[in-house]
Amino acid sequence: MDEMTRKRPRLVFFHRLVPVSKTTAILVILFILFSIFLILLIHNLPISKVSSSNPSRYHWKRDGRRALPLCPLVSPLSVGWLDLSAEIPALLDDSAALRDTTTNAGLKEGGSYQPKDCQARSQIALIVPYRNREEQLTVFLRYMHPFLQRQQRHYTIFIVEQTGDLPFNRGMLLNIGFLEAKRREEFQCFIFHDVDILPEDDRNLYSCPDYGRPFHMSFVIDIHDYKPVSLMFLFGGGVIAISELDFIRANGYSNVFWGPGLEDDDFYRRIRRLNMTVVRPQSPVDHLRYRTLYHDADADVDPQRQTLFDEGYLRFESDGLANLRYRLVDLQMKRLYTHIVIDPTLALSND
């Protein structure tokens, strides 16, 4: 038997297993190729470059409304570094032109803003603890609104003001701002920001950190000659961004630090205890510079603060959001911010 004869039964057996004609096989292959082509075509339509002059390139929501494209990771509106020595005097000038600029940009009552031409990637609550620094607050608000708008952020600024004669309790105010903001809107992250510090460059991105990776943003500061300071020596106040879930896991800030200092160091220990990784932005150092605004030193220093800090690990679960007590004195939706006024005396009550 020759070679061809020996192979023929195998061919017959193969055709029995797959009884498909050549024409059918070709049609199946063409159908598969056509389906793949349609899938690729549909998949690529929404991610094509979108231009406001070509509305057909937008995708559509289920209710028929046109959906905006996502804002770019780096905004095309950024202007880079600003000389705050020249900017601050102009910000203190209560001019109608400045007010009109923020209003025309789309700022809503309560200090809320979202970009008109793209969909922001997250919604941010900016929480600012405050008392008796009116000039600094004026500069802060008039500077930060254009700054965040150039970054195309969706945000709301909350000013949490402490009344009464008790020493300033920054940690408690940040806890209160977190809870009051959560009651009003759904935010993906919270940026805790002192009123006396300003970013000099809008390429310093105010964005939401990943879960388990809070941002420490203010570590290149003029009072340290703009030299990056190690986390071992400075976690400190200034500007910290954290996700909602991470702040809840940490039980917020401690409420026992009356007067300046150590509430941030205590908070750093809380997040490290949960194995979170404190992240600092990877942008060039020149983009991360902060300028501080001068103010008189706070005289209300608690002599027991070091002891409170040393024993803080005993209170991580009981002291913070879990035992927060305060009286809401007033809440107003002002033009540039949501104003939360609180009385902290309940925190010292045994009732």
Side-chain angles (χ1 to χ4, degrees):
M1 186 180 295
D2 59 17
E3 187 69 22
M4 291 300 296
T5 305
R6 287 197 300 271
K7 288 186 177 179
R8 187 171 297 144
R10 295 181 185 178
L11 291 173
V12 171
F13 180 69
F14 179 76
H15 283 297
R16 285 177 181 172
L17 286 176
V18 189
V20 179
S21 67
K22 290 183 179 180
T23 303
T24 303
I26 291 172
L27 290 175
V28 170
I29 293 172
L30 289 175
F31 176 79
I32 293 173
L33 292 174
F34 182 72
S35 300
I36 293 173
F37 171 78
L38 285 178
I39 292 171
L40 291 174
L41 179 65
I42 294 171
H43 177 72
N44 281 289
L45 279 176
I47 61 175
S48 299
K49 292 183 179 180
V50 180
S51 169
S52 59
S53 62
N54 185 9
S56 64
R57 305 298 288 177
Y58 288 85
H59 60 285
W60 299 80
K61 295 181 179 179
R62 290 183 178 179
D63 60 5
R65 294 181 299 162
R66 191 174 68 187
L68 295 174
L70 281 176
C71 296
L73 293 173
V74 179
S75 171
L77 306 179
S78 296
V79 298
W81 180 78
L82 291 174
D83 183 2
L84 293 187
S85 298
E87 291 287 322
I88 290 174
L91 293 170
L92 287 170
D93 178 19
D94 189 16
S95 64
L98 181 61
R99 292 195 301 272
D100 291 342
T101 299
T102 54
T103 303
N104 293 338
L107 187 66
K108 296 180 180 179
E109 190 177 58
S112 295
Y113 173 85
Q114 62 184 105
K116 299 176 182 177
D117 300 325
C118 61
Q119 180 182 337
R121 294 172 178 268
S122 55
Q123 189 168 354
I124 300 168
L126 199 75
I127 311 294
V128 183
Y130 172 77
R131 183 168 69 175
N132 298 335
R133 294 187 183 175
E134 186 175 350
E135 185 174 288
Q136 291 181 355
L137 180 61
T138 298
V139 171
F140 178 86
L141 292 168
R142 294 179 180 177
Y143 181 80
M144 289 304 299
H145 277 299
F147 175 92
L148 294 168
Q149 289 165 15
R150 291 196 301 273
Q151 291 194 2
Q152 297 179 306
R153 301 303 183 211
H154 184 183
Y155 68 90
T156 303
I157 294 181
F158 294 87
I159 305 299
V160 189
E161 181 175 3
Q162 178 178 328
T163 62
D165 298 326
L166 287 173
F168 192 64
N169 192 322
R170 181 175 176 273
M172 179 186 292
L173 294 179
L174 294 175
N175 288 340
I176 293 170
F178 173 82
L179 291 181
E180 293 294 337
K182 267 177 51 64
R183 288 170 182 160
R184 279 149 187 84
E185 288 192 64
E186 183 176 344
F187 297 98
Q188 282 69 57
C189 72
F190 296 77
I191 298 181
F192 301 116
H193 208 301
D194 286 346
V195 73
D196 60 352
I197 187 169
L198 298 175
E200 297 184 2
D201 195 311
D202 58 15
R203 292 169 294 185
N204 181 358
L205 301 181
Y206 275 48
S207 57
C208 286
D210 294 332
Y211 176 73
R213 296 171 63 85
F215 280 162
H216 180 221
M217 302 171 66
S218 54
F219 62 98
V220 184
I221 314 175
D222 58 345
I223 58 176
H224 298 296
D225 297 323
Y226 296 114
K227 296 177 181 178
V229 182
S230 169
L231 270 173
M232 293 180 61
F233 301 102
L234 176 71
F235 179 69
V239 189
I240 300 167
I242 189 169
S243 71
E244 176 185 351
L245 289 178
D246 283 340
F247 194 70
I248 293 172
R249 287 174 62 208
N251 194 22
Y253 282 82
S254 169
N255 298 312
V256 303
F257 290 96
W258 299 89
L262 295 185
E263 76 283 344
D264 279 300
D265 301 274
D266 180 86
F267 184 66
Y268 177 66
R269 292 201 307 185
R270 289 174 180 234
I271 59 181
R272 291 298 299 135
R273 167 179 171 265
L274 297 169
N275 294 319
M276 298 187 203
T277 302
V278 178
V279 178
R280 285 175 163 177
Q282 298 301 308
S283 303
V285 171
D286 288 347
H287 297 180
L288 305 176
R289 293 168 33 141
Y290 279 86
R291 168 78 174 270
T292 53
L293 305 177
Y294 174 79
H295 61 85
D296 294 330
D298 195 327
D300 296 322
V301 176
D302 185 354
Q304 300 298 317
R305 63 176 182 166
Q306 186 62 51
T307 301
L308 291 171
F309 175 73
D310 293 340
E311 298 174 352
Y313 69 95
L314 300 173
R315 303 187 307 271
F316 284 160
E317 295 183 3
S318 61
D319 170 27
L321 295 175
N323 69 336
L324 184 62
R325 302 181 67 194
Y326 63 96
R327 183 171 68 89
L328 184 63
V329 177
D330 193 18
L331 190 148
Q332 293 186 35
M333 306 287 284
K334 297 193 174 181
R335 184 172 56 87
L336 296 180
Y337 59 99
T338 298
H339 192 195
I340 301 168
V341 183
I342 67 98
D343 178 358
T345 53
L346 279 178
L348 302 178
S349 171
N350 293 324
D351 298 334

